[in-house]
Amino acid sequence: MSDESLVSTENSALHQARLAYKPPLPPSLQNIHKLTATMDNSDDLHGGLPPGDQHTLKMLFPHVYGQELMALTKTSEDHQMNPLKIGVVLSGGQAPGGHNVIAGLYDSLMKVHHDSELIGFIKGPGGIVDNKYIRITEELIDSYRNTGGFDMIGSGRTKIESLKQFQAVKAAMEVHDLDGLVVIGGDDSNTNAAMLAEYFKQENLKTKCVGVPKTIDGDLSNKYVEMSFGYDTCCKVYTNEIGNIARDGRSAAKCWFFLKMMGRSASHITLECALQSKPNVALISEEIRRDGQTLQQVVDELADVICARSHVGRDYGVVLIPEGLIEFIGEFNDLISELNRTLATKLSQTVLGVLKKAEQKIDYIESTLSAKTLKSYTVLPLEIKMQLILDRDPHGNVIVSAIETEKLIGEMVGIELERRTKEGTYKGKYNPQYHFCGYQGRAAFPSNFDAKYCYALGHVATVLVAQNLNGYLSCVRNLAKPVDEWQPYGVPLTGLMNIEERHGKPKAVIKKALVELEGEKFKLFEKHRDAWKIQDAYRYAGPIQYSGAAELTEESNFHVRCKL
Amino acid sequence: MSDESLVSTENSALHQARLAYKPPLPPSLQNIHKLTATMDNSDDLHGGLPPGDQHTLKMLFPHVYGQELMALTKTSEDHQMNPLKIGVVLSGGQAPGGHNVIAGLYDSLMKVHHDSELIGFIKGPGGIVDNKYIRITEELIDSYRNTGGFDMIGSGRTKIESLKQFQAVKAAMEVHDLDGLVVIGGDDSNTNAAMLAEYFKQENLKTKCVGVPKTIDGDLSNKYVEMSFGYDTCCKVYTNEIGNIARDGRSAAKCWFFLKMMGRSASHITLECALQSKPNVALISEEIRRDGQTLQQVVDELADVICARSHVGRDYGVVLIPEGLIEFIGEFNDLISELNRTLATKLSQTVLGVLKKAEQKIDYIESTLSAKTLKSYTVLPLEIKMQLILDRDPHGNVIVSAIETEKLIGEMVGIELERRTKEGTYKGKYNPQYHFCGYQGRAAFPSNFDAKYCYALGHVATVLVAQNLNGYLSCVRNLAKPVDEWQPYGVPLTGLMNIEERHGKPKAVIKKALVELEGEKFKLFEKHRDAWKIQDAYRYAGPIQYSGAAELTEESNFHVRCKL
């Protein structure tokens, strides 16, 4: 045999095919020279906020607050366009499609004028501050089209906050003589983009700052932004895994699978994957908070389902658990707060330093907790008790994200089932298995949807810069429809903001969207979920397909379908 | 929007497409009436064994030992064929393609004669003993073609060992008047199939027992059986995940990913996935045993790679770890043996029962260990120490499979890096992440390769029964070539056996194939792996594709390519 395919520079066949894929564009974006931005007055962007918030926003963003929604529409005549120079940066966690935003930027810039230039700041916003960048060439772009990951220019989590940082950004804009800075990021990064836009204007820079909505979490979503990119692919990657695991579970008929679903605080990924895969149970954090459920109540309800299935001979099943769940459980939050307070005291630090054994530390911590909190702590499995006091961040706080929520739930269910076994109300066998639908999704090859969506978003970002729009978010609407009907928009970033109190100070932030319990998508889930509990209604989506019939390659997700 | 697709009976688009897929057959299997089995004397099947083993096998299998390899070849004339009745059973863990073996059996039986019948014994070999079965109809088959899982008839792990069980099987064969019993399973199940074949012959039953080589682990593989089914799909599912995680790692540039690879004892899956994905490190258990490495040596070598990558600014990477690794590390095996002996004593059980705290139990256990073993135990992370003494099977033994090997390695690497940090030889940041390439692979939709291979295996099994071959394994050879060149074979099961001592008694078993360190496949890995350590040579395979160009859908794995 030949070992050609082991030569490190050779791509897989699918990789090669994806590099060659040409994402179709909506008609309006096909000829950039015929585009114009027109105000869309159909909606009062700023009217939804309380007058106090509007006032604060106006104070914080004197130059960019109050801008209007802009639709990008076709005109009949061609505009003469000058070369543009744009800098682009990736901010935060990976999301499938990031490279296609950059490809969209590049291709559209070349259409604007072949002397246009694109530079990429390296490893996130810190790269702007330090002026670390590369020039993005045709050759580079061609080796990243339709691929996953952010490795073309890297990403980072630096927040641009201090005056020194702002000044460094200004210097970078000036040294490169940039017409635009495109920030590809989530809610925090786009909040930061709005601040840069305001600063650029205040400093009379020619640079326009434009954001692009990225995040697999799906929480950058509102009336104007149908969805962030990456979410579609990630949900499809996880849905395939859920189906495979459900089918395995049903075949062997002896394991309960607890799947932790990536997606930070909100439960969007869990909800979408549930609609696509129909597991026996999917916990939705927002609903658990609304109903004021305790951890034990959540566990009891799961145990009820397990008992009911066992009763009909099904000692197996699949449960989806959003990774942010425990932050939505009141008593658990109280416990974390109290632990943080206790762990921060000098006394505790000294005592914990002296005690050698983990369990001695646990005993000590239990002796410090209030009666109510102690009750929440003592019921936890040993492993979780240890995680809560041993894994602490540099400030001494509990690292909530490090808690293996799926194990916490699965082990507590085990304790409850043991109780029921002794009581005689449960006779089944309980064999929990754990899985994390996590990192394997964030850098996957984008679905055709995300490939097209991101490519369009890149084009829109260029047009927004060309149209001198500063402090705007690149948007494409009507996403549930075929590409031909997609509508490009520019949404003023400050129109997406509200005021939240952070450390006692008012702060302008883009609101993280949680699952709307009155929304159509949740209602759909609510209507059907009971039918999935006892029956095996699993839907086996299979892996993402890139060629073949449209129903295989272009299926739209429930998130955009529910926006119709 | 409509919520049609939520109706529980509706399949996904890919599911529908897979149901409609028609796996092509090798020409020889296209007309069953023209097939004949002819002896293939090109090879002395039994010659490789020591004469003592040959003698023992002859004693254990007086009726079926010594049968010849049979090639199934085309003749010019059509044979008249009578209806056949076959029973089929799935045994052991899920492997993609199982349903297609059954579809192959069904379709070939219908070609033999439209009055043929197929029944499926339910939930594994226990279903034969208890005579629990369903009749397999066209309608049932049509709803499972090319799907993953074993849920059509279920699977189980019952071993048929006692005389009573053998008699119950005989009764089931007689009551159904079966011409054939097809056992779809791994090495153990096919060893069991050989025993049934011998028993059927001894009892003068007309039923022929035929095996089909199934296992994702890849350890049912030898000179005659190129590979077991399911392995191809599973490796492709995991390879996609590895690529995604590697790309995520490279993009964020801050995590080391330790991936535990399913596959029982042997490292076949790890080796195949490594060749397909080119991670920074892939541990091969067989090599570690050959070199007599200690756990600390394995950890040190990993730490060396991490330090070397950190030195060139790469504080990230991917390590593949076969799930059976620790069984191949001598000192760890000694530790387990000693723990099992200690934990089995009355004294230990009493003491451990009295001690409430996990760490008190650990202290006690440490006081009982020999100096050498104690050294291996004390270096382990707390969590693993606890797993080793708290999780025990009903016989009181350590449950080796429950040990989270990826965490064991990752945490020990952390301890070593901390040491090097203090020493000043390592300045990087170490952030380990863990992932299990496990259950999400075993019940995936079979790749086109596995779909075709299994469909052909089902046909071959029918022909073996029709040709009155008893105690044979259904085989297809030349798998790296296009389907047109595949060659169907029947391999006598006893020809795959050797004698192993189990509990002091000689036992005939099909030898589990380990990774051959002198074989071409491992050599290929050995030749290239150093280049993958420091450079990012990751290959991004992407998810399994089912339609489109052949290079996307029909890529053969290294396992069969190395058999060419």
Side-chain angles (χ1 to χ4, degrees), chain B residues 125-148:
Chain B
I128 318 176
V129 174
D130 304 333
N131 193 26
K132 292 200 172 149
Y133 68 97
I134 52 167
R135 188 148 171 227
I136 294 178
T137 61
E138 183 92 31
E139 198 190 349
L140 185 66
I141 281 290
D142 285 348
S143 61
Y144 283 94
R145 290 181 189 274
N146 311 297
T147 59

PDB file of all heavy atoms in Angstrom, chain B residues 125-148:
ATOM      1  N   PRO B 125     -28.210 -14.504  22.876  1.00  0.00           N
ATOM      2  CA  PRO B 125     -28.254 -15.968  22.984  1.00  0.00           C
ATOM      3  C   PRO B 125     -29.260 -16.468  24.028  1.00  0.00           C
ATOM      4  O   PRO B 125     -29.811 -17.565  23.884  1.00  0.00           O
ATOM      5  CB  PRO B 125     -26.818 -16.318  23.398  1.00  0.00           C
ATOM      6  CG  PRO B 125     -25.988 -15.208  22.844  1.00  0.00           C
ATOM      7  CD  PRO B 125     -26.835 -13.987  22.973  1.00  0.00           C
ATOM      8  N   GLY B 126     -29.515 -15.656  25.057  1.00  0.00           N
ATOM      9  CA  GLY B 126     -30.539 -16.030  26.041  1.00  0.00           C
ATOM     10  C   GLY B 126     -31.883 -16.254  25.370  1.00  0.00           C
ATOM     11  O   GLY B 126     -32.695 -17.077  25.829  1.00  0.00           O
ATOM     12  N   GLY B 127     -32.131 -15.555  24.268  1.00  0.00           N
ATOM     13  CA  GLY B 127     -33.386 -15.703  23.534  1.00  0.00           C
ATOM     14  C   GLY B 127     -33.526 -17.067  22.870  1.00  0.00           C
ATOM     15  O   GLY B 127     -34.648 -17.558  22.676  1.00  0.00           O
ATOM     16  N   ILE B 128     -32.391 -17.688  22.525  1.00  0.00           N
ATOM     17  CA  ILE B 128     -32.455 -19.051  21.952  1.00  0.00           C
ATOM     18  C   ILE B 128     -32.839 -20.030  23.067  1.00  0.00           C
ATOM     19  O   ILE B 128     -33.732 -20.863  22.907  1.00  0.00           O
ATOM     20  CB  ILE B 128     -31.105 -19.503  21.338  1.00  0.00           C
ATOM     21  CG1 ILE B 128     -30.443 -18.374  20.532  1.00  0.00           C
ATOM     22  CG2 ILE B 128     -31.300 -20.736  20.468  1.00  0.00           C
ATOM     23  CD1 ILE B 128     -29.059 -18.741  19.977  1.00  0.00           C
ATOM     24  N   VAL B 129     -32.134 -19.865  24.196  1.00  0.00           N
ATOM     25  CA  VAL B 129     -32.373 -20.761  25.341  1.00  0.00           C
ATOM     26  C   VAL B 129     -33.841 -20.689  25.772  1.00  0.00           C
ATOM     27  O   VAL B 129     -34.476 -21.708  26.031  1.00  0.00           O
ATOM     28  CB  VAL B 129     -31.425 -20.378  26.510  1.00  0.00           C
ATOM     29  CG1 VAL B 129     -31.742 -21.192  27.754  1.00  0.00           C
ATOM     30  CG2 VAL B 129     -29.964 -20.556  26.089  1.00  0.00           C
ATOM     31  N   ASP B 130     -34.349 -19.465  25.819  1.00  0.00           N
ATOM     32  CA  ASP B 130     -35.739 -19.284  26.265  1.00  0.00           C
ATOM     33  C   ASP B 130     -36.741 -19.353  25.111  1.00  0.00           C
ATOM     34  O   ASP B 130     -37.935 -19.135  25.307  1.00  0.00           O
ATOM     35  CB  ASP B 130     -35.906 -17.921  26.960  1.00  0.00           C
ATOM     36  CG  ASP B 130     -34.939 -17.771  28.127  1.00  0.00           C
ATOM     37  OD1 ASP B 130     -34.546 -18.805  28.700  1.00  0.00           O
ATOM     38  OD2 ASP B 130     -34.583 -16.621  28.450  1.00  0.00           O
ATOM     39  N   ASN B 131     -36.246 -19.637  23.925  1.00  0.00           N
ATOM     40  CA  ASN B 131     -37.082 -19.668  22.723  1.00  0.00           C
ATOM     41  C   ASN B 131     -37.953 -18.416  22.591  1.00  0.00           C
ATOM     42  O   ASN B 131     -39.155 -18.489  22.343  1.00  0.00           O
ATOM     43  CB  ASN B 131     -37.934 -20.936  22.685  1.00  0.00           C
ATOM     44  CG  ASN B 131     -38.571 -21.134  21.306  1.00  0.00           C
ATOM     45  OD1 ASN B 131     -38.051 -20.656  20.294  1.00  0.00           O
ATOM     46  ND2 ASN B 131     -39.710 -21.814  21.267  1.00  0.00           N
ATOM     47  N   LYS B 132     -37.336 -17.265  22.767  1.00  0.00           N
ATOM     48  CA  LYS B 132     -38.034 -15.994  22.530  1.00  0.00           C
ATOM     49  C   LYS B 132     -37.596 -15.485  21.167  1.00  0.00           C
ATOM     50  O   LYS B 132     -36.402 -15.312  20.925  1.00  0.00           O
ATOM     51  CB  LYS B 132     -37.682 -14.983  23.616  1.00  0.00           C
ATOM     52  CG  LYS B 132     -38.254 -15.386  24.960  1.00  0.00           C
ATOM     53  CD  LYS B 132     -38.338 -14.218  25.905  1.00  0.00           C
ATOM     54  CE  LYS B 132     -39.102 -14.614  27.161  1.00  0.00           C
ATOM     55  NZ  LYS B 132     -38.651 -13.885  28.346  1.00  0.00           N
ATOM     56  N   TYR B 133     -38.523 -15.252  20.311  1.00  0.00           N
ATOM     57  CA  TYR B 133     -38.156 -14.936  18.921  1.00  0.00           C
ATOM     58  C   TYR B 133     -39.258 -14.113  18.254  1.00  0.00           C
ATOM     59  O   TYR B 133     -40.373 -14.025  18.762  1.00  0.00           O
ATOM     60  CB  TYR B 133     -37.927 -16.228  18.129  1.00  0.00           C
ATOM     61  CG  TYR B 133     -39.205 -16.998  17.933  1.00  0.00           C
ATOM     62  CD1 TYR B 133     -39.941 -16.879  16.757  1.00  0.00           C
ATOM     63  CD2 TYR B 133     -39.708 -17.819  18.953  1.00  0.00           C
ATOM     64  CE1 TYR B 133     -41.147 -17.549  16.602  1.00  0.00           C
ATOM     65  CE2 TYR B 133     -40.909 -18.495  18.805  1.00  0.00           C
ATOM     66  CZ  TYR B 133     -41.626 -18.363  17.623  1.00  0.00           C
ATOM     67  OH  TYR B 133     -42.815 -19.001  17.487  1.00  0.00           O
ATOM     68  N   ILE B 134     -38.905 -13.516  17.131  1.00  0.00           N
ATOM     69  CA  ILE B 134     -39.929 -12.923  16.267  1.00  0.00           C
ATOM     70  C   ILE B 134     -39.672 -13.392  14.845  1.00  0.00           C
ATOM     71  O   ILE B 134     -38.544 -13.726  14.478  1.00  0.00           O
ATOM     72  CB  ILE B 134     -39.937 -11.374  16.273  1.00  0.00           C
ATOM     73  CG1 ILE B 134     -38.536 -10.808  15.989  1.00  0.00           C
ATOM     74  CG2 ILE B 134     -40.511 -10.816  17.552  1.00  0.00           C
ATOM     75  CD1 ILE B 134     -38.552  -9.318  15.664  1.00  0.00           C
ATOM     76  N   ARG B 135     -40.717 -13.403  14.056  1.00  0.00           N
ATOM     77  CA  ARG B 135     -40.563 -13.730  12.654  1.00  0.00           C
ATOM     78  C   ARG B 135     -40.124 -12.449  11.944  1.00  0.00           C
ATOM     79  O   ARG B 135     -40.674 -11.371  12.186  1.00  0.00           O
ATOM     80  CB  ARG B 135     -41.910 -14.206  12.123  1.00  0.00           C
ATOM     81  CG  ARG B 135     -41.726 -14.718  10.764  1.00  0.00           C
ATOM     82  CD  ARG B 135     -42.612 -15.837  10.356  1.00  0.00           C
ATOM     83  NE  ARG B 135     -42.309 -15.924   8.938  1.00  0.00           N
ATOM     84  CZ  ARG B 135     -43.192 -16.015   7.994  1.00  0.00           C
ATOM     85  NH1 ARG B 135     -44.463 -16.150   8.286  1.00  0.00           N
ATOM     86  NH2 ARG B 135     -42.801 -16.034   6.737  1.00  0.00           N
ATOM     87  N   ILE B 136     -39.136 -12.559  11.105  1.00  0.00           N
ATOM     88  CA  ILE B 136     -38.639 -11.366  10.429  1.00  0.00           C
ATOM     89  C   ILE B 136     -39.296 -11.242   9.062  1.00  0.00           C
ATOM     90  O   ILE B 136     -39.176 -12.135   8.220  1.00  0.00           O
ATOM     91  CB  ILE B 136     -37.100 -11.383  10.359  1.00  0.00           C
ATOM     92  CG1 ILE B 136     -36.581 -11.280  11.808  1.00  0.00           C
ATOM     93  CG2 ILE B 136     -36.571 -10.238   9.499  1.00  0.00           C
ATOM     94  CD1 ILE B 136     -35.108 -11.328  11.975  1.00  0.00           C
ATOM     95  N   THR B 137     -40.021 -10.155   8.916  1.00  0.00           N
ATOM     96  CA  THR B 137     -40.807  -9.944   7.697  1.00  0.00           C
ATOM     97  C   THR B 137     -40.148  -8.886   6.823  1.00  0.00           C
ATOM     98  O   THR B 137     -39.280  -8.131   7.281  1.00  0.00           O
ATOM     99  CB  THR B 137     -42.217  -9.438   8.055  1.00  0.00           C
ATOM    100  OG1 THR B 137     -42.055  -8.177   8.736  1.00  0.00           O
ATOM    101  CG2 THR B 137     -42.933 -10.415   8.977  1.00  0.00           C
ATOM    102  N   GLU B 138     -40.602  -8.822   5.610  1.00  0.00           N
ATOM    103  CA  GLU B 138     -40.145  -7.797   4.663  1.00  0.00           C
ATOM    104  C   GLU B 138     -40.330  -6.402   5.266  1.00  0.00           C
ATOM    105  O   GLU B 138     -39.438  -5.553   5.202  1.00  0.00           O
ATOM    106  CB  GLU B 138     -40.979  -7.928   3.381  1.00  0.00           C
ATOM    107  CG  GLU B 138     -40.582  -6.984   2.260  1.00  0.00           C
ATOM    108  CD  GLU B 138     -39.558  -7.604   1.320  1.00  0.00           C
ATOM    109  OE1 GLU B 138     -39.575  -8.840   1.144  1.00  0.00           O
ATOM    110  OE2 GLU B 138     -38.724  -6.853   0.789  1.00  0.00           O
ATOM    111  N   GLU B 139     -41.487  -6.187   5.861  1.00  0.00           N
ATOM    112  CA  GLU B 139     -41.806  -4.878   6.421  1.00  0.00           C
ATOM    113  C   GLU B 139     -40.824  -4.496   7.537  1.00  0.00           C
ATOM    114  O   GLU B 139     -40.349  -3.361   7.613  1.00  0.00           O
ATOM    115  CB  GLU B 139     -43.241  -4.920   6.960  1.00  0.00           C
ATOM    116  CG  GLU B 139     -43.827  -3.546   7.174  1.00  0.00           C
ATOM    117  CD  GLU B 139     -45.147  -3.623   7.937  1.00  0.00           C
ATOM    118  OE1 GLU B 139     -45.687  -4.739   8.108  1.00  0.00           O
ATOM    119  OE2 GLU B 139     -45.611  -2.548   8.360  1.00  0.00           O
ATOM    120  N   LEU B 140     -40.540  -5.469   8.402  1.00  0.00           N
ATOM    121  CA  LEU B 140     -39.608  -5.207   9.500  1.00  0.00           C
ATOM    122  C   LEU B 140     -38.211  -4.891   8.944  1.00  0.00           C
ATOM    123  O   LEU B 140     -37.591  -3.888   9.324  1.00  0.00           O
ATOM    124  CB  LEU B 140     -39.549  -6.434  10.421  1.00  0.00           C
ATOM    125  CG  LEU B 140     -38.699  -6.268  11.695  1.00  0.00           C
ATOM    126  CD1 LEU B 140     -39.309  -5.238  12.630  1.00  0.00           C
ATOM    127  CD2 LEU B 140     -38.530  -7.603  12.411  1.00  0.00           C
ATOM    128  N   ILE B 141     -37.752  -5.741   8.040  1.00  0.00           N
ATOM    129  CA  ILE B 141     -36.435  -5.523   7.426  1.00  0.00           C
ATOM    130  C   ILE B 141     -36.350  -4.136   6.785  1.00  0.00           C
ATOM    131  O   ILE B 141     -35.367  -3.410   6.951  1.00  0.00           O
ATOM    132  CB  ILE B 141     -36.173  -6.608   6.351  1.00  0.00           C
ATOM    133  CG1 ILE B 141     -35.736  -7.910   7.016  1.00  0.00           C
ATOM    134  CG2 ILE B 141     -35.120  -6.160   5.340  1.00  0.00           C
ATOM    135  CD1 ILE B 141     -34.366  -7.857   7.631  1.00  0.00           C
ATOM    136  N   ASP B 142     -37.408  -3.771   6.080  1.00  0.00           N
ATOM    137  CA  ASP B 142     -37.380  -2.491   5.359  1.00  0.00           C
ATOM    138  C   ASP B 142     -37.280  -1.295   6.290  1.00  0.00           C
ATOM    139  O   ASP B 142     -36.879  -0.214   5.878  1.00  0.00           O
ATOM    140  CB  ASP B 142     -38.609  -2.359   4.453  1.00  0.00           C
ATOM    141  CG  ASP B 142     -38.467  -3.232   3.203  1.00  0.00           C
ATOM    142  OD1 ASP B 142     -37.343  -3.734   2.959  1.00  0.00           O
ATOM    143  OD2 ASP B 142     -39.468  -3.412   2.485  1.00  0.00           O
ATOM    144  N   SER B 143     -37.659  -1.481   7.537  1.00  0.00           N
ATOM    145  CA  SER B 143     -37.557  -0.342   8.456  1.00  0.00           C
ATOM    146  C   SER B 143     -36.225  -0.339   9.225  1.00  0.00           C
ATOM    147  O   SER B 143     -36.032   0.493  10.110  1.00  0.00           O
ATOM    148  CB  SER B 143     -38.750  -0.317   9.409  1.00  0.00           C
ATOM    149  OG  SER B 143     -38.776  -1.485  10.185  1.00  0.00           O
ATOM    150  N   TYR B 144     -35.325  -1.252   8.884  1.00  0.00           N
ATOM    151  CA  TYR B 144     -34.023  -1.282   9.561  1.00  0.00           C
ATOM    152  C   TYR B 144     -32.828  -1.319   8.617  1.00  0.00           C
ATOM    153  O   TYR B 144     -31.691  -1.345   9.072  1.00  0.00           O
ATOM    154  CB  TYR B 144     -33.944  -2.486  10.512  1.00  0.00           C
ATOM    155  CG  TYR B 144     -34.699  -2.266  11.796  1.00  0.00           C
ATOM    156  CD1 TYR B 144     -36.018  -2.709  11.930  1.00  0.00           C
ATOM    157  CD2 TYR B 144     -34.122  -1.596  12.867  1.00  0.00           C
ATOM    158  CE1 TYR B 144     -36.727  -2.504  13.104  1.00  0.00           C
ATOM    159  CE2 TYR B 144     -34.814  -1.387  14.047  1.00  0.00           C
ATOM    160  CZ  TYR B 144     -36.124  -1.847  14.159  1.00  0.00           C
ATOM    161  OH  TYR B 144     -36.802  -1.629  15.323  1.00  0.00           O
ATOM    162  N   ARG B 145     -33.078  -1.309   7.315  1.00  0.00           N
ATOM    163  CA  ARG B 145     -31.952  -1.399   6.375  1.00  0.00           C
ATOM    164  C   ARG B 145     -30.980  -0.242   6.563  1.00  0.00           C
ATOM    165  O   ARG B 145     -31.387   0.911   6.669  1.00  0.00           O
ATOM    166  CB  ARG B 145     -32.461  -1.375   4.928  1.00  0.00           C
ATOM    167  CG  ARG B 145     -33.196  -2.637   4.519  1.00  0.00           C
ATOM    168  CD  ARG B 145     -33.675  -2.586   3.070  1.00  0.00           C
ATOM    169  NE  ARG B 145     -34.560  -3.714   2.784  1.00  0.00           N
ATOM    170  CZ  ARG B 145     -34.148  -4.915   2.409  1.00  0.00           C
ATOM    171  NH1 ARG B 145     -32.853  -5.156   2.237  1.00  0.00           N
ATOM    172  NH2 ARG B 145     -35.013  -5.896   2.195  1.00  0.00           N
ATOM    173  N   ASN B 146     -29.701  -0.580   6.605  1.00  0.00           N
ATOM    174  CA  ASN B 146     -28.618   0.414   6.684  1.00  0.00           C
ATOM    175  C   ASN B 146     -28.680   1.328   7.903  1.00  0.00           C
ATOM    176  O   ASN B 146     -28.131   2.429   7.879  1.00  0.00           O
ATOM    177  CB  ASN B 146     -28.586   1.269   5.405  1.00  0.00           C
ATOM    178  CG  ASN B 146     -28.619   0.424   4.153  1.00  0.00           C
ATOM    179  OD1 ASN B 146     -27.711  -0.353   3.901  1.00  0.00           O
ATOM    180  ND2 ASN B 146     -29.698   0.530   3.377  1.00  0.00           N
ATOM    181  N   THR B 147     -29.355   0.878   8.940  1.00  0.00           N
ATOM    182  CA  THR B 147     -29.402   1.678  10.168  1.00  0.00           C
ATOM    183  C   THR B 147     -28.417   1.116  11.187  1.00  0.00           C
ATOM    184  O   THR B 147     -27.977  -0.029  11.078  1.00  0.00           O
ATOM    185  CB  THR B 147     -30.808   1.671  10.798  1.00  0.00           C
ATOM    186  OG1 THR B 147     -31.172   0.322  11.101  1.00  0.00           O
ATOM    187  CG2 THR B 147     -31.836   2.291   9.867  1.00  0.00           C
ATOM    188  N   GLY B 148     -28.103   1.920  12.188  1.00  0.00           N
ATOM    189  CA  GLY B 148     -27.227   1.475  13.269  1.00  0.00           C
ATOM    190  C   GLY B 148     -28.010   0.764  14.354  1.00  0.00           C
ATOM    191  O   GLY B 148     -29.226   0.610  14.260  1.00  0.00           O
TER     192      GLY B 148
END
